[in-house]
Amino acid sequence: MSRARVVLLNAALGPLDYRVPHGMTVEPGSVIVAPLGPRQLLGCVWEPERMPSDAEVGDNRLRPLLAAADVPPIREPLRRLIEWTAAYYLAPPAAVLRMTLASTSALEGARLAIEYRATGTAPERLTPQREQALARIGDRQGLIRELATIAGVSDGVVRGLVKCGALEAVEVDIDSPYPVPDPDHAPPELSADQHAAAATLAADVAARTFQPTLLDGVTGSGKTEVYFEAVAQALRDGRQALVLLPEIALTEPFLQRFHARFGCEPVAWHSGLRSTQRRRAWRAIAAGEARVVVGARSALFLPYADLGVIVVDEAHETSFKQEEGVHYHARDVAVMRGKFEGCAIVLASATPAIETRHQVALGRYAELQLPERHGAAQMPHIEAIDLIAEPPERGRWLSPRLVKAMIETRARGEQALLFLNRRGYAPLTLCRTCGHRFQCPNCTAWMVEHRLIRRLACHHCGHAEPTPRVCPECKEEDTLVACGPGVERIADEVAALMPEAKVAVVTSDTIWSPARAAEFVARMEAGDIDVVVGTQLVTKGYHFPNLTLVGCVDADLGLEGGDLRAAERTFQQIRQVSGRAGRGEKPGRVFIQTHSPKAAVMQALVTGDAAAFYAAETDARAEAGAPPFGRYAAIVVSSEDQATAHETARAIGRAAPEVDGMHAYGPAPAPLAMLRGRHRFRLLVHARRALDVQDVIRDWLGGVDWPARVRVTVDVDPYSFL
């Protein structure tokens, strides 16, 4: 092979051709280093017929490749997945390939690295930055750059701590082998329903063919134990298994359950890993030595040597949809990877998405059901509290009936959970004197007050500032008022009502790593927490036998905003959080506070008639031609200059083609009209299911020119309409 077609890790470039130097051997999938001007870029060799180039030149003008990485080539099934993902989600192949080559250090040959950790010795000169760094680093270990990022300080501060002896160097063997899970370590005792489902999944894995299956089981039915048997079968066959989880905070509890079943932990992959950990995991996955991987959605694109099964746990979760960069949905891409790899796919959920149910109805997915909880546990009793008929006391958010149940629960030595999907203390802060509202300077979003850290924060761009004592507009002191409740405000109310209760606030602000999740689980299991106040982070994955009461503070919150999936999401979320109650031998109770107890979604939650709710929702989607019966695609135009963004959006709107079965709406200002300092306009494409809407949009946008400072992104199958 003297000439190579290469996809470089630069999304602005198409495929380029290079000369293969004498003595270098490459093949499709080989990871290489290639020159581009004065720079050196990573890339991957590709089949020319599958990746056409607009820049073909003669052999005499080709520049030579510089090196080939000492890693196995990217296998053909993964290359086909990269092509499919790029084509379906209208993304550059390089942007998708970057997710596969996610650890550049994995391509280097060194086996040792120097990391740093705290010695416990305080420096003689303890500046505020050094104090902050040591507090945040704690018992963590990592490279200088990683510790600086964790601490929120410069590299120089961390180097100074090394120099004065507060941090010490540690030599790390970064390619040591992982332990191999034992499929026969501790087989569980399964019920008849569980055993039948597990046997079917294991047979699918052993068949070594593409087979997607929905594992539909009520909360507490033991879905994890069932799909663990599919993982065990892959291990017996000498193949690899991948388990995708929707939240990084669920990783640590999952690792503990896995260790109990298989005798060791799986290989973890998520954003919280150190650089050396990512390198070790990547190389072991590519070599086939990492037998079971558990991780976030990005783990889907890793270069597995021989996948036997992919499990998508909590497959209904919207967090599997990537909202930045390549706008892929991990659930759907997992199915496609299974198709290319020829392996079994398990979609596990207590509240499957309508899209998944539709695939079952069409016969494309198999279905296994677990209709009852495992062992002696029973489904909790659910009641709706009409907030109009039974309002909370003035200035409070918890109704008398829910408060009474919490007091009774604590008196029995049991635990309670209050769910409100709103971080911080209050969603809006204003001045009672002049009415000034605190808005993010970068986004059209209100600043959220966080009293635990004394900050006003934007949950869209991350901007934060100290909570002021003086109104910035009228200059009056102590006139700021918190409007509406967040979890911190509910926690304060619980503390006022039950002064002796031990209360924990669980959100992404407090549980930001697997280690913090493990600490929370340990406190719950030890009985060190009486009441948990949390966001959607606590609606899934946790098993606390002594948690018997769940209260949904504002069940109507998810119905706001006009999202086509609002009712379905609300049903899923409340059904999931309800499932945290009564998972042991003690019975559970759930109270749903709502202003609309007669709404169909609330009635379905109280009666448990999920089938009727999903049937009605599915019929409504079919009538509207909404997914899964029709298709949506969003075109978002953004620029730092509002007029330029608006004119570009209008030009795209005017160029919209007339295609049978497709309508383009807009442009209109996005609900979040400014995000991270960029003005945003949206167009929405609605098409019939059979239309190849990607080809239409590709040709449509290809005929429109726009300024370099304008960004145009396409979101196929959007989940967010902001």
Side-chain angles (χ1 to χ4, degrees), residues 40-331:
Q40 297 181 4
L41 295 182
L42 278 174
C44 181
V45 177
W46 223 270
E47 300 95 325
E49 64 275 11
R50 302 195 65 92
M51 197 66 69
S53 174
D54 296 330
E56 289 197 42
V57 297
D59 289 355
N60 60 327
R61 296 178 57 192
L62 296 180
R63 297 184 69 181
L65 296 174
L66 300 176
D70 183 23
V71 293
I74 304 301
R75 296 173 56 247
E76 182 180 356
L78 181 51
R79 298 201 304 275
R80 301 295 83 84
L81 181 77
I82 291 170
E83 293 169 0
W84 180 88
T85 304
Y88 187 87
Y89 292 103
L90 295 173
V96 186
L97 177 63
R98 183 176 293 279
M99 294 189 286
T100 294
L101 303 180
S103 174
T104 54
S105 64
L107 310 178
E108 301 165 2
R111 295 179 58 86
L112 297 176
I114 302 298
E115 294 185 338
Y116 297 87
R117 66 186 178 194
T119 61
T121 303
E124 291 184 10
R125 191 170 67 88
L126 190 61
T127 65
Q129 281 192 311
R130 286 184 169 185
E131 186 176 15
Q132 173 182 311
L134 290 173
R136 293 189 180 181
I137 289 171
D139 58 0
R140 291 172 174 163
Q141 179 176 311
L143 305 175
I144 293 283
R145 174 71 266 170
E146 292 170 337
L147 294 182
T149 301
I150 290 168
V153 298
S154 67
D155 290 9
V157 172
V158 177
R159 294 186 191 281
L161 289 171
V162 173
K163 208 169 190 178
C164 69
L167 297 177
E168 64 180 354
V170 181
E171 191 173 72
V172 180
D173 182 0
I174 54 181
D175 284 341
S176 57
Y178 289 98
V180 178
D182 179 3
D184 301 310
H185 174 72
E189 293 184 12
L190 302 177
S191 67
D193 285 346
Q194 286 178 315
H195 186 272
T200 300
L201 294 179
D204 290 343
V205 174
R208 294 177 174 255
T209 57
F210 172 56
Q211 176 57 64
T213 300
L214 168 62
L215 180 59
D216 182 359
V218 299
T219 53
S221 60
K223 294 184 292 296
T224 304
E225 285 69 25
V226 169
Y227 71 64
F228 271 175
E229 296 313 292
V231 172
Q233 184 63 48
L235 290 169
R236 293 187 185 100
D237 293 345
R239 306 180 78 192
Q240 293 169 295
L242 166 63
V243 181
L244 296 179
L245 300 178
E247 299 279 359
I248 185 176
L250 297 180
T251 306
E252 193 66 26
F254 179 92
L255 297 182
Q256 295 175 6
R257 294 177 74 176
F258 187 95
H259 191 285
R261 169 64 180 86
F262 294 102
C264 68
E265 290 190 352
V267 176
W269 183 271
H270 50 73
S271 59
L273 295 181
R274 307 194 306 268
S275 175
T276 51
Q277 292 174 317
R278 293 172 75 84
R279 171 205 157 87
R280 180 188 178 203
W282 195 97
R283 291 182 71 91
I285 289 166
E289 297 166 2
R291 299 292 300 282
V292 182
V293 177
V294 55
R297 58 181 176 250
S298 59
L300 187 57
F301 289 93
L302 294 175
Y304 302 94
D306 187 12
L307 265 178
V309 64
I310 302 173
V311 178
V312 184
D313 202 357
E314 309 287 0
H316 63 279
E317 273 293 322
T318 56
S319 55
F320 279 124
K321 172 70 172 178
Q322 171 74 23
E323 298 291 356
E324 300 286 343
V326 182
H327 292 250
Y328 69 96
H329 198 301
R331 178 197 64 214

Side-chain angles (χ1 to χ4, degrees), residues 367-699:
E367 182 181 24
L368 297 171
Q369 294 187 338
L370 299 173
E372 297 180 355
R373 282 190 160 180
H374 183 61
Q378 299 294 317
M379 294 298 290
H381 175 70
I382 301 177
E383 298 179 33
I385 297 177
D386 186 345
L387 290 176
I388 297 175
E390 302 178 63
E393 294 180 17
R394 185 175 176 81
R396 291 189 169 165
W397 310 96
L398 303 178
S399 66
R401 193 171 5 147
L402 177 55
V403 172
K404 181 173 180 287
M406 291 170 59
I407 294 172
E408 293 171 349
T409 299
R410 184 170 183 271
R412 292 193 299 270
E414 298 165 4
Q415 296 165 312
L417 163 63
L418 296 178
F419 166 65
L420 177 64
N421 204 26
R422 187 182 272 159
R423 293 157 52 200
Y425 185 84
L428 172 64
T429 300
L430 54 78
C431 173
R432 70 161 64 93
T433 301
C434 69
H436 174 76
R437 299 183 179 192
F438 287 85
Q439 182 173 316
C440 176
N442 307 316
C443 310
T444 46
W446 305 125
M447 299 284 281
V448 177
E449 182 181 1
H450 288 252
R451 290 199 177 175
L452 293 178
I453 58 173
R454 299 184 180 88
R455 290 286 189 275
L456 293 174
C458 174
H459 290 169
H460 297 283
C461 72
H463 173 80
E465 57 191 53
T467 305
R469 290 183 61 252
V470 176
C471 172
E473 192 162 319
C474 69
K475 310 305 180 186
E476 291 288 330
E477 289 191 23
D478 301 323
T479 62
L480 303 185
V481 179
C483 301
V487 287
E488 293 177 13
R489 193 169 198 170
I490 299 301
D492 281 359
E493 183 174 337
V494 173
L497 292 167
M498 304 166 59
E500 304 301 318
K502 291 172 281 189
V503 183
V505 175
V506 178
T507 73
S508 57
D509 299 313
T510 60
I511 306 292
W512 64 78
S513 70
R516 292 302 296 264
E519 180 185 331
F520 163 64
V521 170
R523 290 185 62 200
M524 283 292 288
E525 292 177 342
D528 191 38
I529 297 172
D530 297 314
V531 181
V532 178
V533 184
T535 60
Q536 54 85 27
L537 204 63
V538 296
T539 64
K540 50 194 173 285
Y542 292 110
H543 177 80
F544 301 125
N546 200 40
L547 198 159
T548 60
L549 175 68
V550 167
C552 297
V553 177
D554 186 355
D556 306 324
L557 186 61
L559 297 174
E560 300 171 358
D563 184 349
L564 76 97
R565 296 181 177 88
E568 181 189 14
R569 284 183 182 177
T570 298
F571 180 85
Q572 291 169 334
Q573 215 164 53
I574 296 179
R575 180 96 167 212
Q576 289 283 338
V577 75
S578 298
R580 300 313 106 196
R583 295 174 71 93
E585 296 182 358
K586 300 174 183 178
R589 291 188 296 167
V590 178
F591 292 94
I592 301 173
Q593 295 192 158
T594 174
H595 290 90
S596 307
K598 300 298 183 184
V601 62
M602 301 305 167
Q603 289 292 305
L605 287 164
V606 171
T607 63
D609 193 353
F613 170 75
Y614 275 111
E617 280 291 299
T618 302
D619 289 345
R621 296 264 193 101
E623 186 175 347
F629 305 98
R631 307 189 64 189
Y632 286 128
I635 301 174
V636 181
V637 181
S638 67
S639 173
E640 293 179 355
D641 180 72
Q642 184 177 17
T644 304
H646 188 207
E647 183 50 44
T648 302
R650 290 180 62 192
I652 292 173
R654 288 192 297 267
E658 292 187 11
V659 177
D660 184 41
M662 188 192 92
H663 299 279
Y665 303 99
L672 268 176
M674 182 188 284
L675 182 64
R676 301 186 184 94
R678 299 182 70 87
H679 297 273
R680 305 168 72 243
F681 293 84
R682 288 177 63 96
L683 297 95
L684 182 65
V685 178
H686 182 199
R688 55 185 168 84
R689 190 74 203 170
L691 181 68
D692 189 344
V693 75
Q694 286 89 346
D695 274 353
V696 173
I697 295 175
R698 195 178 289 112
D699 293 342

